[in-house]
mmCIF file with all atom_site columns, all heavy atoms in Angstrom:
data_model
loop_
_atom_site.group_PDB
_atom_site.id
_atom_site.type_symbol
_atom_site.label_atom_id
_atom_site.label_alt_id
_atom_site.label_comp_id
_atom_site.label_asym_id
_atom_site.label_entity_id
_atom_site.label_seq_id
_atom_site.pdbx_PDB_ins_code
_atom_site.Cartn_x
_atom_site.Cartn_y
_atom_site.Cartn_z
_atom_site.occupancy
_atom_site.B_iso_or_equiv
_atom_site.pdbx_formal_charge
_atom_site.auth_seq_id
_atom_site.auth_comp_id
_atom_site.auth_asym_id
_atom_site.auth_atom_id
_atom_site.pdbx_PDB_model_num
ATOM   1   N N   . SER T 1 59  ? -6.463  9.486  -3.102 1.00 0.00 ? 143 SER T N   1
ATOM   2   C CA  . SER T 1 59  ? -5.938  8.514  -2.125 1.00 0.00 ? 143 SER T CA  1
ATOM   3   C C   . SER T 1 59  ? -5.773  7.161  -2.808 1.00 0.00 ? 143 SER T C   1
ATOM   4   O O   . SER T 1 59  ? -6.313  6.941  -3.905 1.00 0.00 ? 143 SER T O   1
ATOM   5   C CB  . SER T 1 59  ? -6.898  8.343  -0.937 1.00 0.00 ? 143 SER T CB  1
ATOM   6   O OG  . SER T 1 59  ? -8.082  7.695  -1.355 1.00 0.00 ? 143 SER T OG  1
ATOM   7   N N   . GLY T 1 60  ? -5.077  6.266  -2.133 1.00 0.00 ? 144 GLY T N   1
ATOM   8   C CA  . GLY T 1 60  ? -4.972  4.903  -2.645 1.00 0.00 ? 144 GLY T CA  1
ATOM   9   C C   . GLY T 1 60  ? -6.344  4.238  -2.692 1.00 0.00 ? 144 GLY T C   1
ATOM   10  O O   . GLY T 1 60  ? -6.670  3.528  -3.647 1.00 0.00 ? 144 GLY T O   1
ATOM   11  N N   . THR T 1 61  ? -7.141  4.470  -1.665 1.00 0.00 ? 145 THR T N   1
ATOM   12  C CA  . THR T 1 61  ? -8.482  3.892  -1.619 1.00 0.00 ? 145 THR T CA  1
ATOM   13  C C   . THR T 1 61  ? -9.317  4.332  -2.817 1.00 0.00 ? 145 THR T C   1
ATOM   14  O O   . THR T 1 61  ? -10.010 3.523  -3.444 1.00 0.00 ? 145 THR T O   1
ATOM   15  C CB  . THR T 1 61  ? -9.186  4.315  -0.307 1.00 0.00 ? 145 THR T CB  1
ATOM   16  O OG1 . THR T 1 61  ? -8.332  3.996  0.790  1.00 0.00 ? 145 THR T OG1 1
ATOM   17  C CG2 . THR T 1 61  ? -10.517 3.623  -0.142 1.00 0.00 ? 145 THR T CG2 1
ATOM   18  N N   . LEU T 1 64  ? -8.196  2.442  -5.905 1.00 0.00 ? 148 LEU T N   1
ATOM   19  C CA  . LEU T 1 64  ? -8.701  1.063  -5.916 1.00 0.00 ? 148 LEU T CA  1
ATOM   20  C C   . LEU T 1 64  ? -10.185 1.040  -6.279 1.00 0.00 ? 148 LEU T C   1
ATOM   21  O O   . LEU T 1 64  ? -10.634 0.209  -7.076 1.00 0.00 ? 148 LEU T O   1
ATOM   22  C CB  . LEU T 1 64  ? -8.501  0.423  -4.536 1.00 0.00 ? 148 LEU T CB  1
ATOM   23  C CG  . LEU T 1 64  ? -7.061  0.061  -4.173 1.00 0.00 ? 148 LEU T CG  1
ATOM   24  C CD1 . LEU T 1 64  ? -6.945  -0.270 -2.684 1.00 0.00 ? 148 LEU T CD1 1
ATOM   25  C CD2 . LEU T 1 64  ? -6.568  -1.126 -5.006 1.00 0.00 ? 148 LEU T CD2 1
ATOM   26  N N   . SER T 1 85  ? -4.235  -7.609 5.044  1.00 0.00 ? 169 SER T N   1
ATOM   27  C CA  . SER T 1 85  ? -3.982  -6.333 4.372  1.00 0.00 ? 169 SER T CA  1
ATOM   28  C C   . SER T 1 85  ? -4.701  -5.237 5.122  1.00 0.00 ? 169 SER T C   1
ATOM   29  O O   . SER T 1 85  ? -5.345  -5.472 6.143  1.00 0.00 ? 169 SER T O   1
ATOM   30  C CB  . SER T 1 85  ? -4.452  -6.391 2.910  1.00 0.00 ? 169 SER T CB  1
ATOM   31  O OG  . SER T 1 85  ? -4.107  -5.186 2.241  1.00 0.00 ? 169 SER T OG  1
ATOM   32  N N   . PHE T 1 86  ? -4.592  -4.031 4.575  1.00 0.00 ? 170 PHE T N   1
ATOM   33  C CA  . PHE T 1 86  ? -5.324  -2.878 5.099  1.00 0.00 ? 170 PHE T CA  1
ATOM   34  C C   . PHE T 1 86  ? -6.766  -2.965 4.579  1.00 0.00 ? 170 PHE T C   1
ATOM   35  O O   . PHE T 1 86  ? -6.994  -3.431 3.460  1.00 0.00 ? 170 PHE T O   1
ATOM   36  C CB  . PHE T 1 86  ? -4.616  -1.611 4.603  1.00 0.00 ? 170 PHE T CB  1
ATOM   37  C CG  . PHE T 1 86  ? -5.194  -0.353 5.145  1.00 0.00 ? 170 PHE T CG  1
ATOM   38  C CD1 . PHE T 1 86  ? -5.076  -0.042 6.491  1.00 0.00 ? 170 PHE T CD1 1
ATOM   39  C CD2 . PHE T 1 86  ? -5.857  0.529  4.313  1.00 0.00 ? 170 PHE T CD2 1
ATOM   40  C CE1 . PHE T 1 86  ? -5.615  1.132  6.989  1.00 0.00 ? 170 PHE T CE1 1
ATOM   41  C CE2 . PHE T 1 86  ? -6.397  1.710  4.811  1.00 0.00 ? 170 PHE T CE2 1
ATOM   42  C CZ  . PHE T 1 86  ? -6.281  2.004  6.146  1.00 0.00 ? 170 PHE T CZ  1
ATOM   43  N N   . ALA T 1 88  ? -8.880  -1.173 3.169  1.00 0.00 ? 172 ALA T N   1
ATOM   44  C CA  . ALA T 1 88  ? -9.279  -0.594 1.877  1.00 0.00 ? 172 ALA T CA  1
ATOM   45  C C   . ALA T 1 88  ? -9.187  -1.598 0.726  1.00 0.00 ? 172 ALA T C   1
ATOM   46  O O   . ALA T 1 88  ? -9.900  -1.479 -0.274 1.00 0.00 ? 172 ALA T O   1
ATOM   47  C CB  . ALA T 1 88  ? -8.410  0.625  1.559  1.00 0.00 ? 172 ALA T CB  1
ATOM   48  N N   . THR T 1 89  ? -8.324  -2.601 0.878  1.00 0.00 ? 173 THR T N   1
ATOM   49  C CA  . THR T 1 89  ? -8.176  -3.630 -0.156 1.00 0.00 ? 173 THR T CA  1
ATOM   50  C C   . THR T 1 89  ? -9.510  -4.332 -0.426 1.00 0.00 ? 173 THR T C   1
ATOM   51  O O   . THR T 1 89  ? -9.808  -4.696 -1.559 1.00 0.00 ? 173 THR T O   1
ATOM   52  C CB  . THR T 1 89  ? -7.137  -4.685 0.307  1.00 0.00 ? 173 THR T CB  1
ATOM   53  O OG1 . THR T 1 89  ? -5.933  -4.012 0.654  1.00 0.00 ? 173 THR T OG1 1
ATOM   54  C CG2 . THR T 1 89  ? -6.848  -5.690 -0.764 1.00 0.00 ? 173 THR T CG2 1
ATOM   55  N N   . VAL T 1 131 ? -2.481  -8.021 -3.206 1.00 0.00 ? 215 VAL T N   1
ATOM   56  C CA  . VAL T 1 131 ? -1.732  -6.966 -2.504 1.00 0.00 ? 215 VAL T CA  1
ATOM   57  C C   . VAL T 1 131 ? -0.260  -7.352 -2.446 1.00 0.00 ? 215 VAL T C   1
ATOM   58  O O   . VAL T 1 131 ? 0.062   -8.533 -2.305 1.00 0.00 ? 215 VAL T O   1
ATOM   59  C CB  . VAL T 1 131 ? -2.249  -6.803 -1.053 1.00 0.00 ? 215 VAL T CB  1
ATOM   60  C CG1 . VAL T 1 131 ? -1.446  -5.744 -0.303 1.00 0.00 ? 215 VAL T CG1 1
ATOM   61  C CG2 . VAL T 1 131 ? -3.704  -6.430 -1.045 1.00 0.00 ? 215 VAL T CG2 1
ATOM   62  N N   . ASP T 1 157 ? -3.093  -4.169 -5.696 1.00 0.00 ? 241 ASP T N   1
ATOM   63  C CA  . ASP T 1 157 ? -2.992  -3.122 -4.680 1.00 0.00 ? 241 ASP T CA  1
ATOM   64  C C   . ASP T 1 157 ? -1.511  -3.024 -4.273 1.00 0.00 ? 241 ASP T C   1
ATOM   65  O O   . ASP T 1 157 ? -1.034  -3.768 -3.426 1.00 0.00 ? 241 ASP T O   1
ATOM   66  C CB  . ASP T 1 157 ? -3.879  -3.487 -3.484 1.00 0.00 ? 241 ASP T CB  1
ATOM   67  C CG  . ASP T 1 157 ? -3.768  -2.477 -2.349 1.00 0.00 ? 241 ASP T CG  1
ATOM   68  O OD1 . ASP T 1 157 ? -2.832  -1.656 -2.375 1.00 0.00 ? 241 ASP T OD1 1
ATOM   69  O OD2 . ASP T 1 157 ? -4.612  -2.527 -1.432 1.00 0.00 ? 241 ASP T OD2 1
ATOM   70  N N   . CYS T 1 159 ? -0.208  -0.342 -2.978 1.00 0.00 ? 243 CYS T N   1
ATOM   71  C CA  . CYS T 1 159 ? -0.159  0.881  -2.167 1.00 0.00 ? 243 CYS T CA  1
ATOM   72  C C   . CYS T 1 159 ? 1.063   0.932  -1.255 1.00 0.00 ? 243 CYS T C   1
ATOM   73  O O   . CYS T 1 159 ? 1.514   2.007  -0.872 1.00 0.00 ? 243 CYS T O   1
ATOM   74  C CB  . CYS T 1 159 ? -1.434  1.005  -1.340 1.00 0.00 ? 243 CYS T CB  1
ATOM   75  S SG  . CYS T 1 159 ? -2.836  1.507  -2.348 1.00 0.00 ? 243 CYS T SG  1
ATOM   76  N N   . GLU T 1 160 ? 1.590   -0.244 -0.901 1.00 0.00 ? 244 GLU T N   1
ATOM   77  C CA  . GLU T 1 160 ? 2.738   -0.275 0.012  1.00 0.00 ? 244 GLU T CA  1
ATOM   78  C C   . GLU T 1 160 ? 4.041   -0.567 -0.729 1.00 0.00 ? 244 GLU T C   1
ATOM   79  O O   . GLU T 1 160 ? 5.059   -0.836 -0.085 1.00 0.00 ? 244 GLU T O   1
ATOM   80  C CB  . GLU T 1 160 ? 2.500   -1.379 1.067  1.00 0.00 ? 244 GLU T CB  1
ATOM   81  C CG  . GLU T 1 160 ? 1.212   -1.157 1.859  1.00 0.00 ? 244 GLU T CG  1
ATOM   82  C CD  . GLU T 1 160 ? 0.992   -2.178 2.968  1.00 0.00 ? 244 GLU T CD  1
ATOM   83  O OE1 . GLU T 1 160 ? 1.752   -3.156 3.032  1.00 0.00 ? 244 GLU T OE1 1
ATOM   84  O OE2 . GLU T 1 160 ? 0.056   -1.978 3.761  1.00 0.00 ? 244 GLU T OE2 1
ATOM   85  N N   . ALA T 1 181 ? -0.034  4.423  -3.115 1.00 0.00 ? 265 ALA T N   1
ATOM   86  C CA  . ALA T 1 181 ? -0.611  5.375  -2.150 1.00 0.00 ? 265 ALA T CA  1
ATOM   87  C C   . ALA T 1 181 ? 0.482   6.222  -1.509 1.00 0.00 ? 265 ALA T C   1
ATOM   88  O O   . ALA T 1 181 ? 1.619   5.780  -1.365 1.00 0.00 ? 265 ALA T O   1
ATOM   89  C CB  . ALA T 1 181 ? -1.386  4.624  -1.077 1.00 0.00 ? 265 ALA T CB  1
ATOM   90  N N   . TYR T 1 183 ? 0.133   8.302  1.580  1.00 0.00 ? 267 TYR T N   1
ATOM   91  C CA  . TYR T 1 183 ? -0.022  8.754  2.973  1.00 0.00 ? 267 TYR T CA  1
ATOM   92  C C   . TYR T 1 183 ? 1.391   8.918  3.561  1.00 0.00 ? 267 TYR T C   1
ATOM   93  O O   . TYR T 1 183 ? 2.336   8.264  3.106  1.00 0.00 ? 267 TYR T O   1
ATOM   94  C CB  . TYR T 1 183 ? -0.843  7.697  3.733  1.00 0.00 ? 267 TYR T CB  1
ATOM   95  C CG  . TYR T 1 183 ? -1.170  8.081  5.146  1.00 0.00 ? 267 TYR T CG  1
ATOM   96  C CD1 . TYR T 1 183 ? -2.144  9.038  5.416  1.00 0.00 ? 267 TYR T CD1 1
ATOM   97  C CD2 . TYR T 1 183 ? -0.489  7.506  6.221  1.00 0.00 ? 267 TYR T CD2 1
ATOM   98  C CE1 . TYR T 1 183 ? -2.425  9.405  6.718  1.00 0.00 ? 267 TYR T CE1 1
ATOM   99  C CE2 . TYR T 1 183 ? -0.768  7.870  7.526  1.00 0.00 ? 267 TYR T CE2 1
ATOM   100 C CZ  . TYR T 1 183 ? -1.736  8.826  7.767  1.00 0.00 ? 267 TYR T CZ  1
ATOM   101 O OH  . TYR T 1 183 ? -2.017  9.202  9.054  1.00 0.00 ? 267 TYR T OH  1
ATOM   102 N N   . LYS T 1 186 ? 4.190   6.248  3.818  1.00 0.00 ? 270 LYS T N   1
ATOM   103 C CA  . LYS T 1 186 ? 4.593   5.476  2.641  1.00 0.00 ? 270 LYS T CA  1
ATOM   104 C C   . LYS T 1 186 ? 5.994   5.895  2.162  1.00 0.00 ? 270 LYS T C   1
ATOM   105 O O   . LYS T 1 186 ? 6.575   6.862  2.650  1.00 0.00 ? 270 LYS T O   1
ATOM   106 C CB  . LYS T 1 186 ? 3.576   5.698  1.515  1.00 0.00 ? 270 LYS T CB  1
ATOM   107 C CG  . LYS T 1 186 ? 2.175   5.206  1.852  1.00 0.00 ? 270 LYS T CG  1
ATOM   108 C CD  . LYS T 1 186 ? 2.136   3.704  1.997  1.00 0.00 ? 270 LYS T CD  1
ATOM   109 C CE  . LYS T 1 186 ? 0.735   3.129  2.070  1.00 0.00 ? 270 LYS T CE  1
ATOM   110 N NZ  . LYS T 1 186 ? -0.084  3.567  3.200  1.00 0.00 ? 270 LYS T NZ  1
ATOM   111 N N   . GLY T 1 193 ? -2.957  11.061 -0.997 1.00 0.00 ? 277 GLY T N   1
ATOM   112 C CA  . GLY T 1 193 ? -2.880  10.965 -2.457 1.00 0.00 ? 277 GLY T CA  1
ATOM   113 C C   . GLY T 1 193 ? -2.643  9.545  -2.915 1.00 0.00 ? 277 GLY T C   1
ATOM   114 O O   . GLY T 1 193 ? -2.290  8.673  -2.114 1.00 0.00 ? 277 GLY T O   1
HETATM 115 C C1  . PLP V 2 .   ? -2.363  -2.183 1.205  1.00 0.00 ? 227 PLP V C1  1
HETATM 116 C C2  . PLP V 2 .   ? -3.030  -0.849 1.235  1.00 0.00 ? 227 PLP V C2  1
HETATM 117 N N1  . PLP V 2 .   ? -4.092  -0.642 0.445  1.00 0.00 ? 227 PLP V N1  1
HETATM 118 C C3  . PLP V 2 .   ? -4.731  0.539  0.412  1.00 0.00 ? 227 PLP V C3  1
HETATM 119 C C4  . PLP V 2 .   ? -4.333  1.592  1.195  1.00 0.00 ? 227 PLP V C4  1
HETATM 120 C C5  . PLP V 2 .   ? -5.130  2.859  1.163  1.00 0.00 ? 227 PLP V C5  1
HETATM 121 O O1  . PLP V 2 .   ? -4.408  3.977  0.830  1.00 0.00 ? 227 PLP V O1  1
HETATM 122 P P1  . PLP V 2 .   ? -4.932  5.433  1.287  1.00 0.00 ? 227 PLP V P1  1
HETATM 123 O O2  . PLP V 2 .   ? -4.713  5.532  2.757  1.00 0.00 ? 227 PLP V O2  1
HETATM 124 O O3  . PLP V 2 .   ? -4.094  6.371  0.501  1.00 0.00 ? 227 PLP V O3  1
HETATM 125 O O4  . PLP V 2 .   ? -6.370  5.505  0.915  1.00 0.00 ? 227 PLP V O4  1
HETATM 126 C C6  . PLP V 2 .   ? -3.231  1.429  2.034  1.00 0.00 ? 227 PLP V C6  1
HETATM 127 C C7  . PLP V 2 .   ? -2.750  2.555  2.871  1.00 0.00 ? 227 PLP V C7  1
HETATM 128 O O5  . PLP V 2 .   ? -2.484  2.480  4.011  1.00 0.00 ? 227 PLP V O5  1
HETATM 129 C C8  . PLP V 2 .   ? -2.570  0.178  2.076  1.00 0.00 ? 227 PLP V C8  1
HETATM 130 O O6  . PLP V 2 .   ? -1.527  -0.030 2.897  1.00 0.00 ? 227 PLP V O6  1
#
Side-chain angles (χ1 to χ4, degrees):
S143 69
T145 308
L148 287 167
S169 184
F170 184 68
T173 306
V215 178
D241 177 346
C243 285
E244 302 184 352
Y267 184 74
K270 297 294 191 298

